[in-house]
Amino acid sequence: MPTPDRDTVQEILFRNDRDLKIREAVSQAWIDVQEKYPDRAWWRRATTLRAVMWEHSVDRVMGVVGDDNGLAAIQHYDTASFIADDKVFFRLKKADRKLFSSNYPTPLANMFHQHEADLYGHEGFQRVEIVHTFNKFYTALNWIGVVARDDGKIIWDFELRRSVGDAEIVPFPTAPKAPAGDTVVRPIIPGAAEGDDKSEAGDKEA
């Protein structure tokens, strides 16, 4: 399994305006969620919204697949992924503000970003994620784009085009450098009652 190449992935998603269509599908999925669940603000678990959004996103992207002979939907276990032109293997995910998605740590989930191994019997595909991020209050989508990781490190990312005229790939904005004291990693203590970040914690595989 090759390490994902940005130019290759970009070129494949540009074909037939796939990037535009997938972005529109994810955006429409968010509209679907807002219309069907107007009282979602009371949901106690942040992962509930994430799971519902994933279901609608997959459903909408399935429609894009149906109109493109170069795209294929692959359903396995309790999830779904997509293949583009027999080269790029991608899945849809919600990401945090640093563009990291989280998964329940099954062996298969852990292997997705370890590119020396093939998954699900598919050989030689470049594996990436098409992710969406929310704003701080989960009231709007912030960013929709492609992220390539090598285990725990992000290799590259780019935003999916918003229109045909978008020629430049826009990377995810990086946060300004903070003082050293602000970047100290604090361990997450199971069962802690205070300091939980509902928008970042508790993500599990949809």
Side-chain angles (χ1 to χ4, degrees), residues 35-73:
E35 292 178 348
K36 293 183 178 181
Y37 305 96
D39 58 347
R40 64 192 178 280
W42 71 266
W43 290 347
R44 293 175 178 83
R45 299 184 64 188
T47 52
T48 301
L49 175 59
R50 179 170 124 13
V52 171
M53 178 63 182
W54 181 86
E55 292 285 358
H56 284 278
S57 296
V58 169
D59 190 58
R60 286 289 182 175
V61 174
M62 289 285 190
V64 177
V65 170
D67 295 332
D68 189 327
N69 291 332
L71 294 177

Side-chain angles (χ1 to χ4, degrees), residues 7-193:
D7 291 340
T8 299
V9 174
Q10 177 184 333
E11 177 188 354
I12 288 175
L13 291 181
F14 268 26
R15 292 175 187 169
N16 299 327
D17 291 330
R18 290 166 180 160
D19 55 341
L20 297 174
K21 296 172 184 177
I22 292 173
R23 183 189 183 98
E24 175 60 26
V26 175
S27 297
Q28 186 59 51
W30 175 234
I31 294 174
D32 295 340
V33 171
Q34 293 179 92
E35 292 178 348
K36 293 183 178 181
Y37 305 96
D39 58 347
R40 64 192 178 280
W42 71 266
W43 290 347
R44 293 175 178 83
R45 299 184 64 188
T47 52
T48 301
L49 175 59
R50 179 170 124 13
V52 171
M53 178 63 182
W54 181 86
E55 292 285 358
H56 284 278
S57 296
V58 169
D59 190 58
R60 286 289 182 175
V61 174
M62 289 285 190
V64 177
V65 170
D67 295 332
D68 189 327
N69 291 332
L71 294 177
I74 308 297
Q75 299 193 51
H76 38 81
Y77 305 104
D78 64 343
T79 187
S81 301
F82 302 89
I83 295 174
D85 290 346
D86 286 327
K87 291 183 179 180
V88 175
F89 185 99
F90 67 89
R91 63 183 183 182
L92 307 177
K93 299 290 291 183
K94 177 262 178 190
D96 63 22
R97 289 184 288 274
K98 295 180 180 179
L99 290 186
F100 283 96
S101 60
S102 297
N103 305 286
Y104 191 80
T106 64
L108 286 176
N110 290 335
M111 289 173 62
F112 189 87
H113 301 295
Q114 297 172 3
H115 300 290
E116 67 275 9
D118 291 307
L119 289 183
Y120 312 117
H122 303 295
E123 298 181 357
F125 293 161
Q126 300 188 33
R127 292 195 297 264
V128 297
E129 293 178 330
I130 294 183
V131 309
H132 62 274
T133 68
F134 287 102
N135 65 7
K136 181 178 180 180
F137 303 103
Y138 277 64
T139 56
L141 292 174
N142 255 4
W143 194 82
I144 303 172
V146 181
V147 177
R149 284 169 51 185
D150 186 1
D151 206 359
K153 178 182 178 181
I154 291 179
I155 308 171
W156 50 259
D157 65 81
F158 63 82
E159 184 175 18
L160 294 182
R161 289 184 300 163
R162 298 171 182 266
S163 65
V164 175
D166 288 350
E168 181 181 355
I169 296 298
V170 182
F172 190 75
T174 57
K177 188 174 293 184
D182 293 343
T183 58
V184 174
V185 176
R186 292 178 296 175
I188 298 175
I189 302 174

